[in-house]
Amino acid sequence: MSYRLATGGRLIDRSRPLDFTFNGKTLRGFAGDTLAAALLGAGQTLVGRSFKYHRPRGIVASGAEEPNALVGMGEGQRFEPNQRTTTTELFSGLKAVSQNHWPSLDFDIGAVNAKLWRFFPAGFYYKMFIHPRSFWKHVYEPIVRQSAGLGKAPDAETRDADRYEQFYAHCDVLVAGGGIAGLTAARAAAAEGKRVIVIEQAAHWGGRAVVDGAEVEGQPAAGWVEAVLGDLHANPAVTVLNRTMAAGVHDHGYVLAYQRVADHEPGADKPRHRLWRVRAGHVIAATGAIERPLSFAGNDLPGVMLAAAVRDYVVNWAVSPGKRVVVVTNNDDAYRTALALHAAGVAVPVIIDARTEPRGALVEQARAAGLRVADGMAVRSVKGGKAVTGVELCRFDSDGGAVAETIACDAVAMSGGWSPVVHLWSHCGGKLLWDEAGAFFRPDPSRPPLGRDGQGFVTCTGAANGDLGDTDAAPMMPVWMMPAKADYLLRAKMWLDPQNDVKVSDVQLAAKEGYASVEHTKRYTTLGMATDQGKLSNINGLAILSDALGQPIPQTGTTTFRPPYTPISLGAIAGEARGPIFQPLRRTPMHAWHEANGAHWEPVGQWRRPYCYPRDGESHGHAVSREITQVRGSVGLLDASTLGKLLVTGPDAAKFLDMLYTNMMSTLKPGKCRYGLMCNENGFLSDDGVVARLDDQTFLCHTTSGGADRIHAWMEDWLQCEWWDWKVHVVNLTEEYAQIAVVGPNARKVLEKLGGDIDLSKEAFPFMDWREGRLGKFRARVFRISFSGELSYEIAVPASEGQAFWDALMQAGAEFGMMPYGTEALHVMRAEKGFIMIGDETDGTVIPQDLGLDWAVSKKKPDFLGKRGMERPAMTSADRWKLVGLETLDGSVLADGALAPLPGKNVNGQQETQGRVTSTYFSPTLGRGIAMGLVHRGPERMGEVIAFQTESGGRVEARIVDPCFYDKAGEKQNV
Amino acid sequence: MLLLTCPCCGVTAEETEFANGGEAHLKRFGPGSSDADYEAYMFNRKNPRGVHFERWRHAYGCGKWFLMARDTMTLEVYGAYPAQTTEPPAEIVAKIKARRPEWEGYK
Amino acid sequence: MSEAVSALNGAHFAGLVDLAEAGLKGMVTLRGDLSSPALAAAVKAATGAAVPAVRRIEAGASGQAAWMSPDELLLITPYARAGAVVEILRRELAGEFATAADVSDARALFKIRGPQARDVLAKICPVDFTGFAVGELRRTRAAQVAAALWRESEDEWRLVCFRSVAQYVWDLLATVSAPGGEVGFYHR
Amino acid sequence: MKRYSVFAIAREAMRQHSGWDKAWASPEPKTHYDVVIVGAGGHGLATAYYLGKNFGITNVAIIEKGWLGGGNTGRNTTIIRSNYLQDPSAAIYEKARSLYETLSQDLNYNVMFSPRGVMMLAQTEHEIRGYKRTAMANALQGVETRFITPAEVKRIVPIMNIDGPRYPVLGALWQPRGGTARHDAVAWGYARACSAMGMHVIQNCEVIGVESVGGQVSAVATTKGTIGCTKLGIVVAGHSGHLANMAGFRLPVESVALQAMVSEPIKPAMDCVVMANTVHGYMSQSDKGEMVIGGGADHFNNYTQRGSWMHIEETVRALIETFPMLSRLKMLRQWGGIVDMTGDRSPIISKTPLGNTFINCGWGTGGFKAIPGSGWAMAELMAKGASPLAEEFSMYRFREGRFIDESVAAGVAH
Ligand SMILES: Cc1cc2nc3c(=O)[nH]c(=O)nc-3n(C[C@H](O)[C@H](O)[C@H](O)COP(=O)(O)OP(=O)(O)OC[C@H]3O[C@@H](n4cnc5c(N)ncnc54)[C@H](O)[C@@H]3O)c2cc1C
Ligand SMILES: NC(=O)c1ccc[n+]([C@@H]2O[C@H](COP(=O)([O-])OP(=O)(O)OC[C@H]3O[C@@H](n4cnc5c(N)ncnc54)[C@H](O)[C@@H]3O)[C@@H](O)[C@H]2O)c1
Ligand SMILES: Cc1cc2nc3c(=O)[nH]c(=O)nc-3n(C[C@H](O)[C@H](O)[C@H](O)COP(=O)(O)O)c2cc1C
Ligand SMILES: [Zn+2]
């Protein structure tokens, strides 16, 4: 069992014990511990269960590569599943629970899967559960789902208590990795006067060298690190960040760095994570190397750990994984672990070395220290259940049939060699070379990831570049399986991917079944798809695959390295954008008034517009009816500020608008307004609105609320890219004005009450004219236009005066019962008049002619945008569906989107149809349902009765009528 | 995440400040054009694997459109130039030729 | 006119930086040939400022002139003068192909003050602030909306956005300047 | 081909799984085939499969430049639904969905089709009307969908925040028999079945040229030599423009990167697929437990299989707003695929200007769900020269102005 050593531990502060809980049990660690170190120090070697077989799992590694030791952390608003204990800094009160077991970590029912392992080889799902058909969804899949998954889902109704943010930084050189290589690179770049950011994922600097007591430039690594860091900190052009991981290298030098600002001090008033979005001229990946496990039977038992991790625990945290630790290796580095354990007083009964007669300096040191080296030997099998009890040895070069010796121990430290961390090199397409001597992939300097100038923009250095620094070491010997000729039963107990339970036998089966591409093997077996993304398992797996296919490893190649390097919180990805600032909310100058006056909101793009203003106890439907009745009977106000207002001006403005609108704008007289349509080049309607000619060279074009920015960009596109010699300026004045529609028979009286210098009389200011002047004390531009069929003025005043103007209108209108109305009343009233609405009658497939708007499509103009498109056969066909009014015979309201079915079926067995409803409302004015729709040859069929679908699946009959239901003669608006 | 330099204002900014407008140097075919010309103008695209001439707008910056040559396989940017041109400038073509000898050229 | 109110009515907030909405400002969009002497004279007459170089803002006796685009300036004056500025420009540029439009009410202007200003702005703007000089201007993005910002003095910045998103930008700035979020990238 | 079953597993378990066959053969190419299909993605393989199954045409090679299923078929978010608005779309997607129902049995390969339901949230009035319109259309098209209330939404997906302050959920279009399938298994199952019919699935073989005689295709040049064919089917998704170029024509198609990501796995939290189009995000939970999340498409031509980061941010923001519990989950992996977008965002299954050459492309962000139906129609088109399901998806529809636009109303293309 693991335990805390009495002395040592370079990172812990024994004077600051910290209490934490694991599965409810209170344990004690020290300041400076990781959670993993604290668990091991407290003797907790069993920390979780594996994915598929629910096998007992212990801590394997000491850093980001850890596959097993994941826990649920925190509670309530701070609960987080799958937290990696090896990178979690201990704090007082930390609460952790183990995962993926029921009912308990020690006794897990799911572990029967492990007993049935023979029935669950790679890909077994694809071969099973095929019959009976419905069983997959209802019986098998629920079981598969329940037993898979790892951590518990956070509670759905609680909200994350933490905040997150992001930061944009720019630099010449970004150095990822704070080991000797990274610090050296940062120092060099800084010396050249570069702007440098150097980041280290861990809390501590120095990487491996400080643990291993190496010397750098003639001084102990720790001192060197401190000195270099001091210099870097002092340099204003250098930014030094620990607890910050380079998560992904993206195109053109964009690097995401994930800073864990406050994970180690939860509750602090700080952002929990900060996502750095760094734009770097060059990226130096000094990300070190990761040790590989060895594949021997039982290598997944709690207590079997990476040799360097064991060393980390001993040196950094004064924790030993056991009292008797067997070391097994194929290289010299693991001898450092043996020596470190020995120095700490831990028994190392044997160093099992697959090599015959290894002789490096470290080997000699170990021998000199009296440690036994069993060379040419292998671990045949690890004994134990939830903990290691011993190892069986056999000849490395055997099939493992004969057990040479059994050695009692409670932990195993293994090393299969090292693999450079080439992720950051690879994210953007950097290619790799196979290094025979080290048996690893390293960056191929001739094929780097290319930046925007076509040059390589990532460099690897140090161990990440394959420079492991052990110059006087004996050569390592590639070992992909132990013993070399292990039989099936052993291979079926050799774990490659301990989290996802992928074994050597699984990869071999995949190869046998033809899943020969490494990508197929990965997907068939799930090798490397777990939360550690195969940091430990991938190289071993593809070596096994290569062997099974009888091809060299480089021919097999690797799977694709994808960001992030280790998982990053979704909270950090969303950053500050949540709640009120999740998305911009656009507000008109009267927004606050609407809010205060009970508006029920409707999102319109990023705006929010009042749908209606329900009063106490009133339903939305009632409110809408009340608003309409008031407008039709007296007067009402609409906030129309969201409408687009584009100033189009210049000598060629008229010519330009003739190209943009389907109708003729050049003939419009100053002082007048005209309704216009815009189409895209396919001929489909894209926007509509009223154009006012301000003077000879100047037009004010109104667009729909959603259209303002789109149409502005559309205009600029044509002016800049097609007709660049035309003299036209466009200025977007949408937000300059608050625009208010004063609508109803009493509209004129209300405005006249305000006073001012505009003659509002019918004669002086006829329909479709506009005037500029003063209304009361307000500077106003008044348009006599109507979307409701009533006497109506739309008035633009400077936005800053919008609220005051609104107030003045409310006050002036009080005697007429003045009230605001919302978008729904607007819609119903326009439908009563048979006016189309972009987005209702149009949907991107409708041309003006479909809507009976032929009158607004110029026959005279030789060209306008959309004209060519409208000439295509499908557009001119007499069989198009065209706009009509629809009146149900029973007065009911037609359903939204209802179609008019025909008896027959088409070739694909679908019911034929002859029309559809585009807008449908209850009209309080007429006391019945009214609708508009597109009907096959509709206008030719006036008076005909056709049936439409109802919501409940029935049919209702409706008569085809003129779309104008109200005041067809226009007597109400032209007063 | 591209990093682009706007030739109109000189700002080098990330992709999020720009908007792409598709293939450059399309010749508009309006009323009176043949079906084939109109179809080609409206829909058919080179969509090349390799050198691509395209339109960009500095939407969150100076608002101007410009044209750019970029490689769709490597994302290398060969250069940007004004929108008010009907074919790529010679120096950009030369630069691409130098970088991509196998490129068949601008047609 | 006394009833005119700016988008946030001069709001204030103190966090990592001092935030203030600048209140009503006169702003005029001027489009035209920025290299023409007539335009230079008009800008001078309207604001006293020279035509700014690309991505610069110039101050004059009665206003500032900010470069927005190769054919566009934004002139900033006291609110009450905006109408007059438009008149001057129209008069001076009569016969030229140029456009002046009052946009005072279409925008909101924020002051961001303090040594950590760049550290706060860099949380929401994808801008390299190293070497960003006093008098320099950049149109960019503030999180999800368009904005223009310039450096008024060493520790003082201005940010303009559209009026409709003033509250959003305000909430955004206030959120990212909350204490505890010190970055120390620009300001150590 | 040895059949897969629980008994086969039991038998093999007793003999160390030594008796399994190769799922598919890896033959050397012959000099000529009746039909060559370029692209061993889902659509290419399904085309071949139905050529054999429905028309007895088995002298077929499926030529794949990489590993089969490694294109978009192997990297999509696996959403299967057929609640499309336009008749031609609803017809082919519903055909596909109904074939998915029995695909595991048909192929004797468990593709894990899981009709767990697909929910498309309505968060604006406009979306409500759009989805109601779709529901009405579906009722006549034989597609089972329903517009459901916010309360039903919450009952089906308890982890959703339906009262989001910004875009409260106002209802949803619900297709109870939409769902997901195991994407890789679809490609593998078809490949195995094709191989069993004697077809050649040729991997690591790139088509680099198309040869013709008298306006009719005669062969394809490949990295493994020239391979003759009587008929050619081009089914290469993002690379369609490139292949069309080889065959001498242009397509109304552009290739852009579309991204996806997965979270770390958690215990089951959500059983159905949710799509939220107003805020741009969609998500389901796989059987392994990870949240499978779809991101947005880039707006520029791109063949790198890497997309721009901002789309991931946009999607994650949207999903946290909809599912607040996601905030404390972690993103495990992100990736991209190259999707082929047409002018109206609907696919192309069509004859081409080159004789005896057919193209199936333009599935863009949403063709996984169509695989069986598309293969069925394409096979019919190639075998008989016409297919009712493919009729409206001709590449010539753009010229004529007969778009099949699914993005109208509140609909989405994928
Ligand atoms: C991120 C993402 C998410 C998606 N989500 C969904 C979803 O949820 N639901 C849905 O229905 N759809 C989705 N899609 C779309 C779906 O994946 C595709 O429409 C579908 O997989 C296309 O299948 P395919 O067979 O046509 O193409 P692919 O699977 O891409 O196959 C084409 C094959 O052609 C090969 N090829 C190309 N060029 C050559 C050549 N010259 N010679 C030989 N072979 C060649 C390629 O290597 C590839 O294997 C998504 C796509 C992506 C990228
Ligand atoms: N003997 C061996 O086999 C062996 C193996 C490896 C290293 N070494 C020794 O280690 C030293 C090599 O130094 P080095 O600096 O190249 O490697 P290193 O392992 O010492 O340092 C790499 C650093 O990068 C950090 N890192 C990794 N990925 C990161 C990411 N995505 N973002 C941020 N930080 C990240 C790690 O936490 C680590 O601190 C030498 O002393 C060498 O001799 C020896
Ligand atoms: C539905 C689905 C689920 C996935 N689940 C995982 C997963 O659990 N773990 C993982 O590492 N990758 C997962 N992936 C991503 C793949 O590893 C891979 O990134 C993707 O198929 C694209 O291939 P590439 O990255 O090799 O280019 C998943 C992909 C899909 C389409
Ligand atoms: Zn610019």
Side-chain angles (χ1 to χ4, degrees), chain B residues 49, chain D residues 38-45 63-81 84 93 205-208 235-240 242-243 246 257-260 282 294-295 335-340 360-371 414:
Chain B
R49 290 208 300 198
Chain D
V38 192
H43 289 258
L45 290 163
I63 300 180
E64 167 55 51
K65 77 175 160 83
W67 40 284
L68 72 87
N72 293 341
T73 303
R75 54 189 66 246
N76 76 91
T77 48
T78 78
I79 299 173
I80 295 173
R81 62 182 184 90
Y84 282 69
Y93 288 106
C205 176
E206 180 169 359
V207 170
I208 51 178
V235 198
V236 293
H239 298 274
S240 298
H242 188 58
L243 264 289
M246 291 178 202
L258 176 72
Q259 292 178 79
Y282 54 98
W335 66 92
I338 302 306
V339 296
D340 39 339
N360 179 329
C361 69
W363 294 97
T365 61
F368 174 71
K369 61 180 70 66
I371 285 172
H414 50 257

Side-chain angles (χ1 to χ4, degrees), chain A residues 660-894:
Chain A
L660 261 88
Y661 286 92
T662 60
N663 38 353
M664 194 80 96
M665 285 300 167
S666 51
T667 54
L668 181 64
K669 299 268 178 310
K672 295 271 173 206
C673 300
R674 181 172 289 165
Y675 174 72
L677 302 176
M678 274 193 227
C679 291
N680 58 26
E681 283 209 283
N682 273 306
F684 297 133
L685 263 172
S686 73
D687 210 70
D688 69 348
V690 170
V691 179
R693 189 165 196 164
L694 301 188
D695 61 41
D696 192 39
Q697 296 197 357
T698 310
F699 297 79
L700 184 66
C701 302
H702 290 101
T703 74
T704 59
S705 300
D709 294 328
R710 179 170 49 87
I711 299 297
H712 180 211
W714 173 245
M715 288 180 170
E716 283 293 343
D717 191 350
W718 287 102
L719 286 172
Q720 292 178 35
C721 303
E722 186 72 21
W723 304 308
W724 59 73
D725 50 340
W726 294 14
K727 289 192 160 62
V728 183
H729 286 143
V730 182
V731 182
N732 188 346
L733 294 180
T734 303
E735 303 210 5
E736 173 67 9
Y737 302 106
Q739 194 135 323
I740 300 171
V742 185
V743 183
N746 290 320
R748 184 176 289 131
K749 287 188 204 138
V750 172
L751 295 187
E752 280 170 350
K753 272 187 69 184
L754 290 180
D757 57 10
I758 303 174
D759 183 345
L760 297 160
S761 68
K762 178 182 179 193
E763 298 69 29
F765 190 173
F767 186 56
M768 293 310 268
D769 267 25
W770 63 270
R771 295 289 179 274
E772 213 166 59
R774 287 196 175 267
L775 278 179
K777 56 191 171 182
F778 299 93
R779 295 170 284 161
R781 189 180 281 141
V782 186
F783 307 88
R784 247 207 88 180
I785 54 183
S786 175
F787 198 43
S788 56
E790 299 300 332
L791 171 65
S792 154
Y793 298 86
E794 276 196 20
I795 302 143
V797 300
S800 304
E801 298 171 39
Q803 185 58 54
F805 183 57
W806 179 275
D807 291 342
L809 289 168
M810 285 299 290
Q811 207 180 353
E815 64 177 284
F816 308 105
M818 179 67 91
M819 62 175 73
Y821 66 96
T823 50
E824 187 64 2
L826 167 84
H827 289 164
V828 175
M829 288 192 283
R830 66 91 195 171
E832 289 172 343
K833 277 296 286 179
F835 293 147
I836 65 137
M837 187 85 188
I838 296 289
D840 286 347
E841 274 60 46
T842 72
D843 64 3
T845 66
V846 171
I847 58 176
Q849 293 84 344
D850 296 341
L851 303 180
L853 296 171
D854 312 60
W855 57 268
V857 181
S858 167
K859 312 266 177 318
K860 290 197 210 109
K861 291 194 290 186
D863 192 5
F864 60 82
L865 299 179
K867 184 173 168 73
R868 176 63 180 84
M870 291 173 192
E871 288 167 359
R872 285 174 294 177
M875 306 291 179
T876 52
S877 159
D879 282 324
R880 288 186 74 86
W881 290 7
K882 297 207 166 178
L883 190 76
V884 293
L886 297 165
E887 259 178 20
T888 47
L889 300 190
D890 61 4
S892 62
V893 180
L894 281 165

Side-chain angles (χ1 to χ4, degrees), chain A residues 163 165-170 195 197 233 235-239 269-271 274 276-277 576-577 580-587 589 607 647 649-651 716 727-731 733 735-736 777-779 798-801 804, chain C residues 1 3-6 24 29 31-32 71 79 97-99 101-106 118-119 122-130 141 143-145 162-165 167-168 171-172 175-176 178-183 185-186 188:
Chain A
R163 60 181 156 118
E165 66 180 30
Q166 303 182 333
F167 190 80
Y168 289 101
H170 297 72
R195 275 195 294 165
I197 300 176
H233 273 293
N235 185 334
V238 180
T239 301
D269 186 16
K270 291 180 182 177
R274 178 179 297 129
W276 289 64
R277 307 194 268 193
E576 80 294 331
I581 52 173
F582 157 58
Q583 272 185 7
L585 175 60
R586 297 179 72 182
R587 295 166 166 92
W607 296 101
L647 188 76
T649 172
E716 283 293 343
K727 289 192 160 62
V728 183
H729 286 143
V730 182
V731 182
L733 294 180
E735 303 210 5
E736 173 67 9
K777 56 191 171 182
F778 299 93
R779 295 170 284 161
S800 304
E801 298 171 39
Chain C
M1 191 138 87
E3 294 184 64
V5 281
S6 63
L24 291 168
T29 286
R31 292 195 63 178
D71 62 354
Y79 187 69
F97 171 44
T99 302
D102 187 347
V103 294
S104 312
D105 296 281
R118 289 180 298 173
D119 286 311
K123 294 184 188 184
I124 54 174
C125 301
V127 171
D128 186 354
F129 288 106
T130 305
R141 213 160 41 73
Q144 300 175 53
V145 298
F162 281 112
R163 181 186 179 109
S164 66
V165 292
Q167 185 71 47
Y168 166 77
D171 291 344
L172 191 63
T175 302
V176 298
E182 293 82 357
V183 180
F185 183 70
Y186 290 105
R188 310 267 174 101

